[in-house]
PDB file of all heavy atoms in Angstrom:
ATOM      1  N   ALA V 486      19.781  21.827 -26.174  1.00 53.00           N
ATOM      2  CA  ALA V 486      18.341  21.760 -25.910  1.00 53.00           C
ATOM      3  C   ALA V 486      17.678  20.595 -26.619  1.00 53.00           C
ATOM      4  O   ALA V 486      16.878  19.868 -26.042  1.00 53.00           O
ATOM      5  CB  ALA V 486      17.680  23.080 -26.320  1.00 53.00           C
ATOM      6  N   ARG V 487      17.994  20.374 -27.902  1.00 48.00           N
ATOM      7  CA  ARG V 487      17.353  19.297 -28.649  1.00 48.00           C
ATOM      8  C   ARG V 487      17.730  17.928 -28.099  1.00 48.00           C
ATOM      9  O   ARG V 487      16.951  16.996 -28.133  1.00 48.00           O
ATOM     10  CB  ARG V 487      17.733  19.370 -30.128  1.00 48.00           C
ATOM     11  CG  ARG V 487      17.287  20.624 -30.841  1.00 48.00           C
ATOM     12  CD  ARG V 487      15.871  20.459 -31.425  1.00 48.00           C
ATOM     13  NE  ARG V 487      14.810  20.424 -30.445  1.00 48.00           N
ATOM     14  CZ  ARG V 487      14.300  21.499 -29.858  1.00 48.00           C
ATOM     15  NH1 ARG V 487      14.761  22.692 -30.157  1.00 48.00           N
ATOM     16  NH2 ARG V 487      13.318  21.399 -29.000  1.00 48.00           N
ATOM     17  N   ALA V 488      18.964  17.800 -27.574  1.00 46.00           N
ATOM     18  CA  ALA V 488      19.405  16.513 -27.041  1.00 46.00           C
ATOM     19  C   ALA V 488      18.771  16.205 -25.690  1.00 46.00           C
ATOM     20  O   ALA V 488      18.764  15.059 -25.258  1.00 46.00           O
ATOM     21  CB  ALA V 488      20.924  16.487 -26.920  1.00 46.00           C
ATOM     22  N   ARG V 489      18.241  17.241 -25.001  1.00 46.00           N
ATOM     23  CA  ARG V 489      17.629  17.022 -23.687  1.00 46.00           C
ATOM     24  C   ARG V 489      16.211  16.486 -23.801  1.00 46.00           C
ATOM     25  O   ARG V 489      15.643  16.024 -22.829  1.00 46.00           O
ATOM     26  CB  ARG V 489      17.594  18.335 -22.892  1.00 46.00           C
ATOM     27  CG  ARG V 489      18.956  18.838 -22.486  1.00 46.00           C
ATOM     28  CD  ARG V 489      18.814  19.875 -21.383  1.00 46.00           C
ATOM     29  NE  ARG V 489      18.016  21.023 -21.764  1.00 46.00           N
ATOM     30  CZ  ARG V 489      18.500  22.190 -22.165  1.00 46.00           C
ATOM     31  NH1 ARG V 489      19.806  22.359 -22.262  1.00 46.00           N
ATOM     32  NH2 ARG V 489      17.690  23.185 -22.477  1.00 46.00           N
ATOM     33  N   ILE V 490      15.623  16.581 -25.015  1.00 46.00           N
ATOM     34  CA  ILE V 490      14.240  16.176 -25.196  1.00 46.00           C
ATOM     35  C   ILE V 490      14.087  14.687 -24.890  1.00 46.00           C
ATOM     36  O   ILE V 490      14.829  13.854 -25.381  1.00 46.00           O
ATOM     37  CB  ILE V 490      13.769  16.472 -26.627  1.00 46.00           C
ATOM     38  CG1 ILE V 490      13.740  17.981 -26.859  1.00 46.00           C
ATOM     39  CG2 ILE V 490      12.402  15.872 -26.899  1.00 46.00           C
ATOM     40  CD1 ILE V 490      13.574  18.368 -28.304  1.00 46.00           C
ATOM     41  N   GLY V 491      13.113  14.364 -24.081  1.00 48.00           N
ATOM     42  CA  GLY V 491      12.869  12.972 -23.751  1.00 48.00           C
ATOM     43  C   GLY V 491      13.890  12.384 -22.796  1.00 48.00           C
ATOM     44  O   GLY V 491      13.968  11.170 -22.653  1.00 48.00           O
ATOM     45  N   LEU V 492      14.689  13.239 -22.121  1.00 50.00           N
ATOM     46  CA  LEU V 492      15.722  12.729 -21.228  1.00 50.00           C
ATOM     47  C   LEU V 492      15.115  11.862 -20.126  1.00 50.00           C
ATOM     48  O   LEU V 492      15.699  10.866 -19.709  1.00 50.00           O
ATOM     49  CB  LEU V 492      16.516  13.890 -20.623  1.00 50.00           C
ATOM     50  CG  LEU V 492      17.703  13.521 -19.731  1.00 50.00           C
ATOM     51  CD1 LEU V 492      18.723  12.726 -20.523  1.00 50.00           C
ATOM     52  CD2 LEU V 492      18.354  14.770 -19.153  1.00 50.00           C
ATOM     53  N   ALA V 493      13.947  12.242 -19.648  1.00 46.00           N
ATOM     54  CA  ALA V 493      13.307  11.439 -18.596  1.00 46.00           C
ATOM     55  C   ALA V 493      13.022  10.024 -19.089  1.00 46.00           C
ATOM     56  O   ALA V 493      13.190   9.048 -18.364  1.00 46.00           O
ATOM     57  CB  ALA V 493      12.021  12.102 -18.127  1.00 46.00           C
ATOM     58  N   GLN V 494      12.572   9.910 -20.374  1.00 43.00           N
ATOM     59  CA  GLN V 494      12.314   8.584 -20.906  1.00 43.00           C
ATOM     60  C   GLN V 494      13.609   7.802 -21.078  1.00 43.00           C
ATOM     61  O   GLN V 494      13.683   6.623 -20.778  1.00 43.00           O
ATOM     62  CB  GLN V 494      11.589   8.686 -22.260  1.00 43.00           C
ATOM     63  CG  GLN V 494      10.089   8.934 -22.142  1.00 43.00           C
ATOM     64  CD  GLN V 494       9.774  10.315 -21.635  1.00 43.00           C
ATOM     65  OE1 GLN V 494      10.547  11.236 -21.826  1.00 43.00           O
ATOM     66  NE2 GLN V 494       8.639  10.471 -20.985  1.00 43.00           N
ATOM     67  N   VAL V 495      14.660   8.482 -21.559  1.00 42.00           N
ATOM     68  CA  VAL V 495      15.940   7.812 -21.759  1.00 42.00           C
ATOM     69  C   VAL V 495      16.492   7.309 -20.436  1.00 42.00           C
ATOM     70  O   VAL V 495      17.100   6.243 -20.351  1.00 42.00           O
ATOM     71  CB  VAL V 495      16.950   8.765 -22.442  1.00 42.00           C
ATOM     72  CG1 VAL V 495      18.335   8.140 -22.494  1.00 42.00           C
ATOM     73  CG2 VAL V 495      16.475   9.115 -23.845  1.00 42.00           C
ATOM     74  N   SER V 496      16.276   8.074 -19.377  1.00 45.00           N
ATOM     75  CA  SER V 496      16.817   7.685 -18.076  1.00 45.00           C
ATOM     76  C   SER V 496      15.966   6.631 -17.381  1.00 45.00           C
ATOM     77  O   SER V 496      16.315   6.170 -16.309  1.00 45.00           O
ATOM     78  CB  SER V 496      16.936   8.915 -17.168  1.00 45.00           C
ATOM     79  OG  SER V 496      15.654   9.441 -16.871  1.00 45.00           O
ATOM     80  N   GLY V 497      14.854   6.233 -17.988  1.00 44.00           N
ATOM     81  CA  GLY V 497      14.147   5.076 -17.476  1.00 44.00           C
ATOM     82  C   GLY V 497      12.818   5.320 -16.809  1.00 44.00           C
ATOM     83  O   GLY V 497      12.380   4.514 -16.015  1.00 44.00           O
TER      84      GLY V 497
END
Side-chain angles (χ1 to χ4, degrees):
R487 297 271 71 79
R489 292 197 301 261
I490 294 168
L492 184 61
Q494 280 70 27
V495 173
S496 65

